[in-house]
Amino acid sequence: MASPPRRISEDDDYDGETPLERIRPFGTLHRKQIAFVPASGDGHLNSTDTAISSGKAPRQDVADIYLSMVLPEDVKPRSTQNTTSAGTSKDAAPPSVCEVCKLPMTPLAPEDTSQAPEGVPKPATPHETSLAHQLCLPHSHPPSALDRSRMGLTYLSTYGWDPDARKGLGFKQQGIQYPVKTKVKDDKLGIGMEVPKNLPPKKKETMLDAKKVRKMAEEEKRRAARIRQQLFQRDDLEKYLGPGAA
Amino acid sequence: MATKRSIVEGDSGSQDLKRVKMGKGGDAKDDKFNPYLAHHYEDDNSNGNGNGFSSPLDKLERHKTTAAQASKCEDSDLNPWTGQPHSQRYFGILKTRRDLPVQKQRQEFLDMYHSTQILVFVGETGSGKTTQIPQYVLYDELPHLNGKLIACTQPRRVAAMSVAQRVADELDVKLGEEVGYSIRFENKTGPKTMLKYMTDGQLLRESMHDHDMSRYGCIILDEAHERTLATDILMALLKQIAARRKDLKIIVMSATLDAQKFQTYFYNAPLLAVPGRTYPVEIFYTPEPERDYVEAAVRTVLQIHATEPEGDILLFLTGEEEIEDACRRISLEVDDMIRESDAGPMKVYPLYGTLPPAQQQRIFDKAPEALRKGGRPGRKCIVSTNIAETSLTIDGIVYVVDPGFSKQKIYNPRSRVESLLVSPISKASAQQRAGRAGRTRPGKCFRLYTEKAFKKELIEQTYPEILRSNLANTVLELKKLGVEDLVHFDLMDPPAPETMMRALEELNYLACLDDDGELTKMGSLASEFPLDPALAVMLISSPEFYCSNEILSITSLLSVPQIWVRPNNARKRADEMKMQFAHSDGDHLTLLNAYHAFKGAEQNGQDVKQWCHEHFLSFRHLSSADNVRAQLKRIMETHDIELMSTSFQDKDYYTNIRRALVSGFFMQVAMRESSNSKVYKTVKDDQLVMIHPSTVVQSPYDWVVYNEFVLTTKQYVRTVTNIRPEWLLEIAPIYYDVDTFEKGEIKSALTRITEKIRRRQAMKGGR
């Protein structure tokens, strides 16, 4: 194919070279073009054959280059989030890391002190009371909901599986704990398309024409008559004159 | 002979060149095998092998061969394995084989193979690993010396068969002799077989009788990255066996995706990687998520056709219906494009598993020519399920359209339903699909989702099959293999405990395992059959119901794809024909009737193919059912399971069969919600289901037994037969112990029936 690929959507203007009938859009579907975007960065598949591939050097992470300049040599690049964020206090005091929750034990965070009223005594060990620390403390889990009388459970327990230990099967009991979830897809929505959960039912905007207005007026009239009847009807009169007599 | 030789030498000039090159590339120590000095040691030990002819193989020493030596053997005029002269075709194939990417690393492979027991081999599609590596091993293992076979497993039957044929051609031997294959219900090997291609499931079955796999000297697990259930189990077993049998060599072959995972799993086994022959692929994403992925896919195909240069298109969709629909829409639109804007012609081919082979073959047709000279070139577009992702290679594909979905099997141990559901694919899968565009030249892949969705929404790897399957069969096999500790069994991805528990319990109810989980006699017998435990148990207990012949037929029919053909353009006619065989009490019985009619036509000497065509039955599937039946019959005979039938005139002929069905499928029973309702509720799992519209059952009965649960937009049970609830209590009293049921309609119905039976018995006793 010698001719360059044409983009119908982009050049709506007649460029004077291609015959008109070629540009004209046709059909229904192929008129709606999708503006594909190329993959970013190294998203493309590179050839694995060295002869074909362009032989680009592996891209060095910008962050790594930066860190190698800034940090002393013995520090590994991108060590942790903590060192960079708390980098200022790094030289001042060695950050003591909590044994339990593996978080650095800092004194109270500045905003906490500012919010604390003057009179209230500071908690003795503020770190131990923090939510992160509390959650990391060893604690018991609620027992598994599996029926203990099941034959399968008995069998697995005799080989050392504990239903309450929150562990899977396998050599190191590293397996998944719960079965893979089943999810039925009964629509044609593409990946990443999200439907808001409680979408308000679409109200159709209706244009009123004379006919509809007349109809509405009639409806109104009938309703008024019905209400009137219900309020002012007289049983004795109706007996003689039939329903609908006021 | 002389003329033959001269012909061979005449056209193998390039090989001589190669041979020299190989010699240089190989070891220095092989100068003894300088081809030009071969006559010096021709007679060294010419009587070495038992084949009665002198073969270049005699000079080779097991596990010490080099690539150069092997190449020399391959180049010789006589076939080293048979002693017959090589055909001319052989040298033609040899030439193409020498161009494969693996060939460059043959020596490297052998060095590594010699140095280790377990080897992980990574080669992309197109590297030639499936055909070449087993042959490299063959020239190194020299199976004729110690009588140990080489096995190469494949996840798919078709692959095992076609690769075996190809390798037999490459070695210039007859398929079934030196090279053979073995798949479920079909064994094409012989006493001379040295290299055996087989499905992974077949090797697993074999190992039930040979726990050490002692017949094999080397086992190659191919396509391990597909992580089929059987491959996963085999890997765990081989890990154990490798410790016991130091002489067994294992090669795990995978595409690049997660080779490191295999390496770590096999005690950091050495890894050898061979590049494939792939070209770069440009990847494009949509700027926004798509509202309708089928429509977007059709639009993309048309857009490619209108704007991109020559090259074929591969579109991935999920199922038959969707694919046929898309094919129709694309064809119509292309016609429009040709009329209106002089677009090139385009042929659209569907591709899915249930498509007849002749139609599947059409995807290899050439793309159509330009409509007139100088016109825009034609192309073909293949709309496929994910079989085109790995199992099938179509050359000429330059554009891939990937909506990001596939149908995947998923098992829910709580509702005990195994279903095929449309699910998002994994990143690995998406990369694999994209790679399909770069087989012949640089290509493009259009993904119908955003780059963000690719990164955030898709999981890294597809869940291995073991996490998505019912494990009843697997557990039975493991039990038979002597694996007791199912908790610490070293699987690469152990399944969820609940799935394992379910499997144990199902086997317990089927009396294959006792209450302590020990294999029973029934279980041991059931594992002899290459069938699901429920089917095997039904078959084994069928003599108790005097209908083992019939149950054998039904079992075979249930083990092959649907025998009913229902073409879109003749649905009504097909349904009418089916009604000819219909038995109002059940689809199982209808299957049996159709089979009997088929056999009858065969005996009358009719043209069976024609007969099947007229009756809208699949000749292919019926004959394979016939074949399966013969295999199963043989197994039954070796285990003394009596084959018998009730007389057809007997009024209990069909009743007996229905009762026998219950003996295997009592866990797949549904009760009608209320009379005249179309909704049924499955026993114990309480799933609301409808009977699949394909049924012939007219249902005066409230209870049915079903063969499978189909989860689409609705929940269906397919292939059902009416039963009486009394049978359930009688045949499966443990499962139908009323006390174990949760309160509900089914419990009260069962209580009523128990009561009725008790009263009837009391009356009988009173007399």
Side-chain angles (χ1 to χ4, degrees), chain A residues 1-9 21-50 52-54 146-147 149-163 167-196, chain B residues 124 275-276 278-287 289-296 298-300 302-303 306-307 309-310 322 333 336-337 340-342 376-377 403-405 410 412-413 421-422 424 431 434-435 446-449 451 453 455 457-458 463 467 479 484-491 494-498 500-502 504-505 508 514-517 711-713:
Chain A
M1 262 294 291
S3 68
R6 293 177 302 127
R7 293 277 141 88
I8 294 178
S9 60
E21 74 272 13
R22 279 209 177 177
I23 306 177
R24 199 179 58 181
F26 35 74
T28 49
L29 275 177
H30 49 270
R31 212 177 287 173
K32 296 185 254 171
Q33 301 249 323
I34 302 171
F36 280 100
V37 287
S40 67
D42 10 337
H44 299 293
L45 294 191
N46 282 321
S47 168
T48 44
D49 197 334
T50 41
I52 303 166
S53 75
S54 52
L146 292 170
D147 178 0
S149 66
R150 287 173 67 171
M151 173 263 174
L153 195 143
T154 324
Y155 186 88
L156 294 185
S157 323
T158 50
Y159 288 98
W161 182 73
D162 179 1
K167 284 206 169 141
L169 306 178
F171 191 61
K172 291 186 199 129
Q173 304 214 343
Q174 78 283 20
I176 53 168
Q177 277 180 53
Y178 302 104
V180 176
K181 278 219 174 81
T182 326
K183 206 173 156 199
V184 180
K185 178 179 171 63
D186 51 6
D187 52 38
K188 298 278 176 201
L189 293 181
I191 288 175
M193 191 75 191
E194 275 170 41
V195 200
Chain B
E124 288 176 55
T278 53
Y279 293 85
V281 176
E282 261 185 287
I283 290 171
F284 297 90
Y285 295 94
T286 56
E290 288 297 323
R291 193 158 265 292
D292 179 339
Y293 68 86
V294 181
E295 196 207 279
V298 173
R299 276 161 59 191
T300 308
L302 298 168
Q303 189 171 336
T307 59
E310 203 172 0
E322 206 175 84
E333 291 275 342
D336 213 24
M337 286 167 76
E340 291 192 22
S341 71
D342 192 29
R376 306 186 67 189
F405 290 103
I410 260 196
N412 179 348
L421 293 176
V422 175
Q431 298 298 69
F446 298 88
R447 292 185 174 154
L448 303 180
Y449 37 88
E451 185 160 18
K455 286 184 174 146
E457 310 239 337
L458 301 190
Y463 292 116
L467 303 183
K479 276 284 178 181
E484 292 298 329
D485 186 353
L486 295 173
V487 173
H488 299 98
F489 186 55
D490 193 6
L491 288 162
E498 265 179 84
M500 187 65 88
M501 283 160 59
R502 266 294 190 199
L504 286 162
E505 286 151 19
N508 181 224
D514 65 16
D515 289 349
D516 299 326
L711 185 65
T712 52
T713 45

Side-chain angles (χ1 to χ4, degrees), chain B residues 580-727:
Chain B
Q580 283 193 4
F581 304 111
H583 187 290
S584 64
D585 269 342
D587 297 322
H588 295 95
L589 307 179
T590 307
L591 277 176
L592 186 67
N593 285 347
Y595 179 73
H596 283 161
F598 168 72
K599 293 304 276 182
E602 205 174 58
Q603 268 168 16
N604 291 344
Q606 275 172 280
D607 181 0
V608 200
K609 260 190 175 156
Q610 182 60 29
W611 183 88
C612 283
H613 185 75
E614 281 164 14
H615 291 80
F616 290 91
L617 292 167
S618 161
F619 172 71
R620 197 159 55 100
H621 297 155
L622 272 169
S623 15
S624 79
D626 216 23
N627 178 24
V628 170
R629 191 180 191 279
Q631 307 272 337
L632 292 175
K633 192 175 166 203
R634 208 171 308 144
I635 302 175
M636 285 173 85
E637 279 161 357
T638 42
H639 294 283
D640 291 327
I641 300 168
E642 216 176 330
L643 285 155
M644 55 168 98
S645 295
T646 321
S647 152
F648 191 68
Q649 267 67 42
D650 195 315
K651 68 174 171 33
D652 282 338
Y653 179 80
Y654 284 113
T655 314
N656 283 341
I657 298 172
R658 283 157 62 202
R659 283 164 58 90
L661 285 174
V662 171
S663 71
F665 284 88
F666 56 85
M667 282 182 277
Q668 298 185 13
V669 170
M671 188 189 91
R672 201 203 295 261
E673 274 255 284
S674 58
S675 49
N676 297 325
S677 160
K678 278 206 163 130
V679 182
Y680 285 70
K681 196 181 220 175
T682 60
V683 167
K684 287 211 179 176
D685 310 320
D686 295 333
Q687 300 287 312
L688 294 181
V689 295
M690 305 232 285
I691 294 183
H692 197 270
S694 67
T695 190
V696 298
V697 173
Q698 292 143 5
S699 39
Y701 286 81
D702 285 343
W703 297 76
V704 292
V705 56
Y706 60 87
N707 181 54
E708 59 180 335
F709 193 109
V710 191
L711 185 65
T712 52
T713 45
K714 286 194 187 111
Q715 306 201 75
Y716 286 117
V717 288
R718 188 157 55 190
T719 316
V720 300
T721 286
N722 291 328
I723 52 160
R724 295 198 171 281
E726 295 87 340
W727 301 344

Side-chain angles (χ1 to χ4, degrees), chain A:
Chain A
M1 262 294 291
S3 68
R6 293 177 302 127
R7 293 277 141 88
I8 294 178
S9 60
E10 281 168 26
D11 356 272
D12 274 344
D13 299 345
Y14 182 56
D15 60 347
E17 277 174 24
T18 23
L20 252 180
E21 74 272 13
R22 279 209 177 177
I23 306 177
R24 199 179 58 181
F26 35 74
T28 49
L29 275 177
H30 49 270
R31 212 177 287 173
K32 296 185 254 171
Q33 301 249 323
I34 302 171
F36 280 100
V37 287
S40 67
D42 10 337
H44 299 293
L45 294 191
N46 282 321
S47 168
T48 44
D49 197 334
T50 41
I52 303 166
S53 75
S54 52
K56 243 196 293 176
R59 225 165 50 115
Q60 214 174 351
D61 206 320
V62 181
D64 286 343
I65 300 171
Y66 174 71
L67 286 174
S68 68
M69 284 191 293
V70 173
L71 294 174
E73 278 192 13
D74 52 336
V75 180
K76 279 181 192 162
R78 292 233 255 173
S79 44
T80 48
Q81 291 278 320
N82 302 333
T83 43
T84 40
S85 62
T88 45
S89 63
K90 196 175 161 278
D91 297 340
S96 52
V97 173
C98 172
E99 295 273 295
V100 181
C101 59
K102 306 280 186 293
L103 283 175
M105 291 217 286
T106 43
L108 272 185
E111 65 261 30
D112 283 358
T113 36
S114 64
Q115 275 175 6
E118 288 292 322
V120 179
K122 272 187 188 175
T125 48
H127 177 78
E128 272 69 33
T129 58
S130 71
L131 192 59
H133 183 90
Q134 292 281 318
L135 280 175
C136 288
L137 284 173
H139 64 279
S140 60
H141 297 284
S144 149
L146 292 170
D147 178 0
R148 305 295 151 137
S149 66
R150 287 173 67 171
M151 173 263 174
L153 195 143
T154 324
Y155 186 88
L156 294 185
S157 323
T158 50
Y159 288 98
W161 182 73
D162 179 1
D164 301 327
R166 305 201 154 197
K167 284 206 169 141
L169 306 178
F171 191 61
K172 291 186 199 129
Q173 304 214 343
Q174 78 283 20
I176 53 168
Q177 277 180 53
Y178 302 104
V180 176
K181 278 219 174 81
T182 326
K183 206 173 156 199
V184 180
K185 178 179 171 63
D186 51 6
D187 52 38
K188 298 278 176 201
L189 293 181
I191 288 175
M193 191 75 191
E194 275 170 41
V195 200
K197 266 194 182 138
N198 27 16
L199 205 71
K202 263 189 192 168
K203 263 196 184 164
K204 260 194 183 168
E205 278 186 37
T206 45
M207 298 286 270
L208 294 176
D209 53 14
K211 199 175 167 192
K212 275 183 190 151
V213 172
R214 214 179 306 132
K215 243 187 182 167
M216 276 163 69
E218 257 170 33
E219 182 78 356
E220 192 82 331
K221 230 189 251 170
R222 232 178 288 140
R223 213 175 57 198
R226 211 166 48 236
I227 291 170
R228 205 166 44 238
Q229 197 217 339
Q230 279 169 356
L231 286 176
F232 302 111
Q233 72 178 13
R234 285 169 54 183
D235 286 352
D236 48 351
L237 256 185
E238 244 174 47
K239 230 182 236 172
Y240 290 103
L241 300 176

